[in-house]
Amino acid sequence: MGLTLPTVPLPRTEFDIPSFSDEEIEAEAIRLQGAIQQHQRWPLETCRSIAPLTLEINRLKAVNDVFLIAHSYQTPDIIYGVADEVADSYTLSKAARDAPQQTILFSSVRFMAETAKIVSPHKTVLHPSPEAGCSLSDGITAQDVRDLRAQYPGVPVACYINTTAAVKAECDVSVTSSNYMRICERLPGDRLIFVPDRFMGAHLQKALAGKKEIIVFDGECEVHAVFTGDKVREWKQRIGENLSVLAHPECSAEVLEEADFIGSSEKLIHEAIRLGAEGQPDVMLITECGTAERVLAETEIELNLYGACVMCRHMKATQLEDILQALQEPRLDQIIEIDAGVIDRAQRNLDEMFRLAE
Ligand code: 13P
Ligand code: SF4
């Protein structure tokens, strides 16, 4: 594999957990190593050191009836150690809405936990790392949307789901990386304001040219903005025509032009595995490193992953200790609270997404 993955997150603090027997820890370490499927990067010794944390988190989840959701960009110890559901942002927003548990712990960035609260306001939503933002959601305010509406009266506004609850409340519909094309195409009228991702907006402009004018905001994902068309072309030259390039739609137009497949984090994982199964093992995943880690864990099929992934510092801010602490005694800033009026308006926006996406 020609890919460098992030360092393994070892426990960073002393934690206060009841002692488990040596047998329980050994069995959990073996379970973790088997699920993570990267024996060199996650040796049994490392799995042993995190086993007390995953055992206690899973015990507390069961006792307190908590549903733990993790985005694909979380680290493998969270994904395979303690998560009940792992996927892209669209699937996770539905999982939060449909979970029967009254408490959801969302291991991810802030806007995703806020989305869970909007779709299930009666539930308690815990977010272990309140500081975990996102360059897209932090780059636009509700006032920015009101200003755009004033500048383009009557034009519908679609927002990428990577936005705060306050921004969603000002927009007509949210979209995600798995449905932005379908939803924007289906919206009425020949003009559309799209916020905040300028790259996804540019992709819409190109795909809908002649049918719809797309007015775009200027936000970007600090992770996907790192990739360049030149780098992709370099890899294509080096590996040859067998290389399949799979890119997330938060990448720039010049990167997307080089891509054989564009999709959400979940869709990229499925496509890489599908290509491997069809005897096309040379794959380049142009996205955050968590996507490659899930591919490695979730298939036995031989794949050659090329290129370099980029790590999202916001997504990687959460560690098992933060999850344990939020379950044991959540601080006020770890409990998602949103003004009832904002929830009401943002909920209409997300209901519209669910309606148009299906
Ligand atoms: P996905 O919905 O594709 O998982 O994307 C979320 C995200 O933040 C990607 O950077
Ligand atoms: Fe935001 Fe980019 Fe990180 Fe996704 S990868 S959470 S879009 S900064």
Side-chain angles (χ1 to χ4, degrees), residues 71 73 88-89 111-112 160 162 177 224 248 250 264-265:
H71 185 263
Y73 298 169
D88 60 20
S89 48
F111 78 81
M112 289 196 193
Y160 190 30
N162 296 35
S177 54
H224 291 88
H248 195 278
E250 289 168 14
S264 73
S265 56

Side-chain angles (χ1 to χ4, degrees), residues 246 267-277 283 285 295 303:
L246 281 48
K267 292 202 159 116
L268 295 181
I269 293 164
H270 291 179
E271 180 63 7
I273 294 174
R274 188 193 69 78
L275 286 166
V283 170
L285 284 165
V295 170
L303 273 168

Side-chain angles (χ1 to χ4, degrees), residues 24-40:
E24 284 171 309
I25 291 180
E26 197 58 18
E28 178 69 348
I30 291 167
R31 179 186 79 81
L32 288 168
Q33 202 189 33
I36 294 172
Q37 284 292 330
Q38 295 183 54
H39 289 224
Q40 277 187 339

Side-chain angles (χ1 to χ4, degrees), residues 304-322:
N304 307 317
L305 299 183
Y306 292 103
C309 59
V310 179
M311 209 170 72
C312 173
R313 64 196 166 102
H314 311 288
M315 284 283 187
K316 301 299 196 248
T318 309
Q319 293 199 10
L320 287 171
E321 295 97 314
D322 305 310

Side-chain angles (χ1 to χ4, degrees), residues 126-160:
L126 302 175
H127 182 231
S129 309
E131 75 286 3
C134 162
S135 64
L136 279 168
S137 66
D138 296 342
I140 184 164
T141 65
Q143 188 58 48
D144 289 327
V145 181
R146 287 193 287 269
D147 291 347
L148 280 166
R149 280 210 190 269
Q151 203 181 338
Y152 301 98
V155 178
V157 186
C159 60
Y160 190 30

Side-chain angles (χ1 to χ4, degrees), residues 69-213:
I69 297 178
H71 185 263
S72 297
Y73 298 169
Q74 299 294 282
T75 49
D77 51 340
I78 295 176
I79 291 184
Y80 302 106
V82 296
D84 299 305
E85 179 91 30
V86 180
D88 60 20
S89 48
Y90 181 66
T91 306
L92 294 183
S93 57
K94 283 203 296 188
R97 182 193 65 184
D98 300 339
Q101 291 86 348
Q102 283 310 297
T103 304
I104 291 169
L105 187 145
F106 213 127
S107 186
S108 185
V109 290
R110 184 84 184 175
F111 78 81
M112 289 196 193
E114 283 194 3
T115 302
K117 183 70 181 174
I118 298 165
V119 296
S120 48
H122 55 287
K123 295 178 192 167
T124 300
V125 177
L126 302 175
H127 182 231
S129 309
E131 75 286 3
C134 162
S135 64
L136 279 168
S137 66
D138 296 342
I140 184 164
T141 65
Q143 188 58 48
D144 289 327
V145 181
R146 287 193 287 269
D147 291 347
L148 280 166
R149 280 210 190 269
Q151 203 181 338
Y152 301 98
V155 178
V157 186
C159 60
Y160 190 30
I161 200 162
N162 296 35
T163 43
T164 61
V167 165
K168 286 187 178 74
E170 298 293 334
C171 300
D172 299 301
V173 63
S174 283
V175 302
T176 76
S177 54
S178 66
N179 58 34
Y180 65 103
M181 199 58 79
R182 174 180 168 82
I183 292 183
C184 290
E185 227 171 353
R186 293 181 78 184
L187 287 172
D190 54 9
R191 293 177 101 193
L192 175 69
I193 298 169
F194 183 79
V195 299
D197 187 345
R198 69 188 177 102
F199 293 138
M200 201 175 274
H203 194 217
L204 283 164
Q205 279 172 332
K206 190 172 165 207
L208 301 181
K211 290 192 213 152
K212 220 183 253 293
E213 183 197 348

